[in-house]
Amino acid sequence: MKRFFLVLIFVLLSICLWAQNSLNSQENIAFRNAQNAYENMEYGKALKYAEDAILLRKEQVAKDYKTIQTSLAARDVKKAGDNISNIIPVLKERDEYDCISLINYYNSKGDFGDSITKVLNYIQSQEQFPEAQKLIGDIYKLEGEYDFAEEYYLKALENAVVLDIPDERYEIIYMLAELSRQKGDYNTMEIRLLNIIGKEQNEQINVLGRSMKTTISRDNASAVEKYFQMYRSEYYYSLKAYYALAEYYLSIGQKDKAFTYSAIGVITGFTKIYNVIEKRDIDFEYTDISSFLDLIPNYSDIVTWGSNNDVWKSFNLFSTICDECGYTTVARCLLEILAVHSPQKFWQQDAVLRLDKADGIKNPE
């Protein structure tokens, strides 16, 4: 038992030490320098550091792979077979602690079934640096070099499986969709936005959208409240895709699709905020959308998040789309609510101006 705990402590120390070394490795230092230069708008430096990071990552992974492979080539290590638990004691007898640290570090990154072959395959897959590739795409995009930007975004997307933060994959697709929009390639933009949402989720959205339309089509004040009381959606990573698709479909006259994605988008943003407030305030109880919106200014981070993710804009867009679809009473009710209760002043004023226009009131010159 004592030996077991000693081995466990050694393994944990190896992982921690190697992880710390990895954080301070040359490629990660180069990438942090690239990020800092980018934030300081020193794009030439950022590009160089990012390219260095990609090269250094390949060199480091190749070195790690060779270190382990060389140790495994020894006759007595080969006899231990493929199981890591059998290999480690042999490596200890040979005092190959650098190799042991590498194996423990990489083995901690996933479930490899105690197989050294699977660990080696994983190490080879790590030679790509999608975060650095995305950053290079960001730089080229800012400089208006859209073709180069797209090339690097596509590289990053191809290597998304090794992203440290898997959900960053969606951000890369968003960037690709935005590039398509800027290039005027709206068909590709649409495809990329739909890819963010995914086929299965799209099928669910269409079903939910039809139900929402049934509620809204009653076209009275109570329909607005029923909409916010009855529906919820937690596909938060698709939030911006919903809004972008709603705007696009509205612009080309596909009102049914515009309604579906706008309605889903509004309720997704609403659901996210509802869940956050519910966790923070044990006394919270939803009564109506006006009172709910009045709570939001108490949480500055929610206001900022809503602004950054176009949530407040989406409410106003939904009223526009409802009006275009013939649900004029619902559209006006929403505007009247937003004109008083929208958490962001700009969209509150937008609602006021639109109400004035509907009432024939001219804006002052």
Side-chain angles (χ1 to χ4, degrees):
M1 182 63 71
K2 184 177 180 182
R3 177 178 173 79
F4 169 79
F5 281 115
L6 287 172
V7 170
L8 180 62
I9 290 169
F10 172 77
V11 169
L12 291 173
L13 283 173
S14 296
I15 293 171
C16 291
L17 289 171
W18 189 259
Q20 184 62 37
N21 289 336
S22 177
L23 286 172
N24 295 317
S25 62
Q26 286 184 305
E27 73 265 23
N28 284 326
I29 291 171
F31 182 60
R32 287 200 297 272
N33 287 338
Q35 289 176 310
N36 291 335
Y38 180 83
E39 290 171 4
N40 292 328
M41 295 185 288
E42 298 175 317
Y43 301 125
K45 284 185 178 180
L47 185 62
K48 180 184 181 303
Y49 282 130
E51 288 173 341
D52 288 346
I54 291 170
L55 180 61
L56 289 165
R57 167 69 64 84
K58 287 184 178 180
E59 291 175 350
Q60 185 62 56
V61 168
K63 181 181 176 182
D64 292 348
Y65 183 87
K66 185 176 181 181
T67 297
I68 296 174
Q69 198 176 44
T70 300
S71 296
L72 295 176
R75 184 179 300 176
D76 51 344
V77 180
K78 280 184 177 180
K79 288 180 181 179
D82 189 60
N83 288 355
I84 294 171
S85 55
N86 294 333
I87 292 170
I88 295 295
V90 180
L91 292 173
K92 283 183 184 177
E93 290 177 5
R94 295 170 58 86
D95 293 330
E96 297 198 38
Y97 292 104
D98 285 346
C99 179
I100 292 171
S101 294
L102 281 170
I103 292 172
N104 287 335
Y105 170 69
Y106 283 111
N107 193 36
S108 71
K109 305 290 268 185
D111 182 7
F112 303 106
D114 204 35
S115 169
I116 193 64
T117 300
K118 290 181 179 179
V119 169
L120 287 170
N121 290 338
Y122 171 79
I123 293 171
Q124 284 186 310
S125 75
Q126 298 301 297
E127 71 171 4
Q128 298 296 331
F129 205 151
E131 291 87 353
Q133 291 165 337
K134 177 189 173 296
L135 183 59
I136 292 174
D138 292 342
I139 294 166
Y140 280 128
K141 179 174 174 288
L142 277 174
E143 293 181 344
E145 298 284 352
Y146 296 149
D147 290 338
F148 285 125
E150 185 165 19
E151 177 186 342
Y152 276 91
Y153 284 143
L154 287 171
K155 283 182 181 179
L157 186 61
E158 182 182 347
N159 299 313
V161 68
V162 297
L163 283 166
D164 285 339
I165 304 173
D167 281 356
E168 196 169 354
R169 169 180 174 272
Y170 298 112
E171 186 178 343
I172 295 167
I173 305 177
Y174 275 122
M175 291 297 185
L176 284 165
E178 175 60 16
L179 277 180
S180 298
R181 188 192 67 78
Q182 291 183 350
K183 291 162 71 173
D185 186 357
Y186 297 109
N187 288 335
T188 301
M189 179 198 75
E190 178 188 9
I191 291 168
R192 285 170 170 170
L193 290 170
L194 290 171
N195 282 339
I196 291 171
I197 298 168
K199 183 179 179 181
E200 182 178 344
Q201 189 190 138
N202 256 311
E203 291 172 355
Q204 295 172 0
I205 283 170
N206 287 327
V207 173
L208 187 58
R210 286 194 292 272
S211 179
M212 288 176 166
K213 180 165 280 191
T214 299
T215 301
I216 294 296
S217 65
R218 292 168 184 166
D219 200 28
N220 53 38
S222 64
V224 176
E225 291 303 334
K226 285 181 179 178
Y227 166 72
F228 286 107
Q229 289 171 351
M230 290 175 61
Y231 301 106
R232 297 291 181 268
S233 171
E234 297 186 351
Y235 295 113
Y236 304 134
Y237 58 84
S238 299
L239 200 55
K240 289 184 178 180
Y242 298 147
Y243 303 155
L245 285 166
E247 285 186 311
Y248 170 63
Y249 289 132
L250 181 63
S251 72
I252 60 174
Q254 294 190 22
K255 296 177 185 179
D256 285 344
K257 285 186 176 181
F259 177 89
T260 295
Y261 287 103
S262 181
I264 295 291
V266 168
I267 217 65
T268 302
F270 171 83
T271 302
K272 174 70 172 179
I273 296 166
Y274 182 101
N275 289 340
V276 170
I277 293 177
E278 189 176 44
K279 286 180 182 178
R280 293 184 184 180
D281 183 358
I282 58 173
D283 296 323
F284 166 70
E285 184 176 348
Y286 181 83
T287 54
D288 57 72
I289 187 61
S290 297
S291 299
F292 179 79
L293 292 173
D294 285 342
L295 286 175
I296 292 172
N298 296 326
Y299 305 93
S300 60
D301 59 327
I302 293 178
V303 175
T304 301
W305 177 84
S307 299
N308 292 339
N309 290 276
D310 291 336
V311 174
W312 320 130
K313 175 184 176 182
S314 74
F315 279 80
N316 293 51
L317 175 63
F318 187 45
S319 71
T320 298
I321 291 172
C322 285
D323 192 48
E324 289 287 328
C325 291
Y327 311 132
T328 54
T329 302
V330 165
R332 185 173 184 91
C333 285
L334 271 173
L335 282 180
E336 287 174 349
I337 291 168
L338 296 170
V340 179
H341 305 283
S342 179
Q344 192 172 46
K345 188 176 181 180
F346 178 87
W347 294 108
Q348 189 179 56
Q349 291 176 335
D350 176 75
V352 171
L353 292 173
R354 286 175 54 196
L355 284 170
D356 286 348
K357 183 177 180 182
D359 292 336
I361 300 172
K362 292 184 179 180
N363 298 324
E365 297 294 336

